[in-house]
């Protein structure tokens, strides 16, 4: 049962990281994330981006919120995986 939970958490966080990457690279690859079909991507990524834009200091014309979000989600995924695998192994 714990194995299923580990896979579910890491899968959800990996999919969220992919959504962040798609949202970040969309202007460069001319991908319209505001179209009817893809409107859910900004809905799930923008709250984290907006919070990070308030927390991070201004850094000129570059927006580092997507990069910081990607790093934070990756870190949460790595730490949660370590904790859950440690619990599963009895450590």
């Amino acid at each position: 049962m714990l194995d299923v939970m580990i896979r579910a958490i890491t899968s959800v966080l990996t999919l969220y990281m992919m959504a962040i990457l798609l949202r970040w690279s969309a202007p460069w690859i001319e991908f319209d994330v505001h179209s009817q079909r893809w409107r859910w991507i900004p809905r799930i990524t923008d709250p984290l981006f907006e919070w990070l834009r308030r927390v991070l200091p201004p850094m000129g014309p570059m927006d580092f919120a997507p990069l910081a979000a990607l790093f934070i989600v990756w870190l949460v995924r790595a730490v949660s995986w370590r904790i859950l695998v440690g619990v599963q192994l009895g450590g």
Side-chain angles (χ1 to χ4, degrees):
M1 179 64 182
L2 191 60
D3 185 47
V4 173
M5 189 170 76
I6 292 170
R7 288 182 189 269
I9 290 172
T10 56
S11 295
V12 166
L13 291 172
T14 301
L15 289 172
Y16 191 63
M17 288 171 55
M18 291 172 71
I20 290 170
L21 285 171
L22 184 61
R23 176 77 168 111
W24 185 33
S25 62
W28 291 312
I29 60 174
E30 298 179 6
F31 184 75
D32 184 18
V33 293
H34 298 291
S35 68
Q36 183 68 28
R37 185 176 191 168
W38 303 106
R39 198 171 293 163
W40 58 273
I41 294 173
R43 283 190 201 144
I44 65 171
T45 57
D46 282 356
L48 181 58
F49 290 175
E50 290 169 8
W51 178 77
L52 285 169
R53 287 180 185 123
R54 286 192 308 267
V55 171
L56 292 173
M59 295 180 227
M62 292 294 295
D63 181 17
F64 286 101
L67 187 61
L70 192 63
F71 177 72
I72 289 169
V73 174
W74 173 79
L75 191 63
V76 167
R77 187 184 72 163
V79 169
S80 64
W81 184 82
R82 285 277 193 177
I83 290 171
L84 290 172
V85 167
V87 168
Q88 183 180 17
L89 295 176

